[in-house]
Amino acid sequence: MALTGVLRAGFVQFRVLEMDEALAHYVDHIGLNLVEKADDGRVYLKGYDEFDRHSIVLRESDAPGVDVMGFKVAAKADLDGFEKRIAEYGLDVDHVAAGEQPGLGARIGFMLPSGHRIELYAEMARSDDGPITENPDVWRDDPRGMRALGFDHCLFYGPNIAEVTRFFTEVLDFSLTEKVETPDGPIAVWLSSSTKTHEIAFVEHEEPGKFHHVSFLLESWHDVGHAADIVSRFDISRDVGP
């Protein structure tokens, strides 16, 4: 079966208050690889098991939050098709030129009814230190910190998640894999474009455009336990668990 349409979650760009502290957290503790510190102040990161150039973009700001989440599509032609479908649905579509993020091709972008910006793209440069495909070792270098394999999903808070769900399922061909609802409608939804349980999730919230978390894939439950040890050792604040 040919791969078409939206393939997977590709990147997320979010705002941090102190870049040096954020880098210590994401590189030393989470275990992401530093790809580039760009001239505009943005920093690009990736997991050691990711083929594409980057998946996490940090931007220093006086207010934390999310700027954009990007999804990779199978081909440039899919961008044209989705642009037409999104416009017919009633959302405004804009264009971002190739190279606005290093190594990233042209994108189309739009704002969800929840107040979150989503972009679609077809091309990203390959990572210089991605997984080895010829006579491969387990990894190039011994993973650090929590040994995150790569970017997994995001959870957003905002209004109108019933409408957001309809858009993702009818326009972008996502599957609704799980939901929590009341007689007044859904209060939480999980959506996927692939065989994963979800790549993006939303919780109903009065204030638009809110960012709850970015999640990283670990290889095993043993690594989750190791991550818990790092949380304890470095007194990293936690929301729930483990």
Side-chain angles (χ1 to χ4, degrees), residues 53-114:
R53 181 187 184 276
H54 62 265
S55 59
I56 302 296
V57 187
L58 306 180
R59 181 173 71 84
E60 193 170 58
S61 174
D62 58 3
V66 64
D67 290 331
V68 58
M69 183 175 178
F71 288 87
K72 191 171 188 178
V73 303
K76 286 183 178 180
D78 290 319
L79 294 179
D80 296 332
F82 279 122
E83 180 174 3
K84 181 180 179 181
R85 293 173 66 180
I86 294 165
E88 289 175 347
Y89 186 86
L91 299 185
D92 294 331
V93 182
D94 59 68
H95 295 80
V96 182
E100 188 277 333
Q101 289 186 18
L104 185 57
R107 294 119 71 190
I108 61 171
F110 49 92
M111 191 69 69
L112 297 174
S114 60

Side-chain angles (χ1 to χ4, degrees), residues 123-234:
E123 296 179 337
M124 182 182 282
R126 296 292 290 267
S127 169
D128 291 333
D129 60 351
I132 306 169
T133 58
E134 184 175 346
N135 298 328
D137 289 316
V138 178
W139 50 67
R140 294 181 185 273
D141 300 301
D142 189 16
R144 301 175 307 279
M146 299 179 190
R147 302 191 282 259
L149 296 173
F151 170 44
D152 190 76
H153 69 265
C154 283
L155 171 60
F156 297 140
Y157 277 40
N160 307 312
I161 68 168
E163 185 67 20
V164 169
T165 302
R166 188 166 79 90
F167 172 80
F168 269 92
T169 55
E170 295 183 6
V171 179
L172 300 184
D173 299 325
F174 277 57
S175 297
L176 174 64
T177 60
E178 189 173 350
K179 66 178 176 179
V180 177
E181 63 180 351
T182 71
D184 296 325
I187 57 173
V189 296
W190 289 259
L191 297 151
S192 178
S193 66
S194 66
T195 58
K196 291 173 58 175
T197 57
H198 64 282
E199 290 155 309
I200 191 168
F202 295 88
V203 169
E204 186 75 22
H205 186 70
E206 184 177 77
E207 189 176 356
K210 302 298 286 184
F211 180 43
H212 187 272
H213 71 254
V214 57
S215 180
F216 301 97
L217 180 66
L218 303 184
E219 188 166 12
S220 71
W221 174 246
H222 298 290
D223 281 328
V224 176
H226 174 65
D229 289 339
I230 292 176
V231 168
S232 177
R233 168 64 180 83
F234 294 101

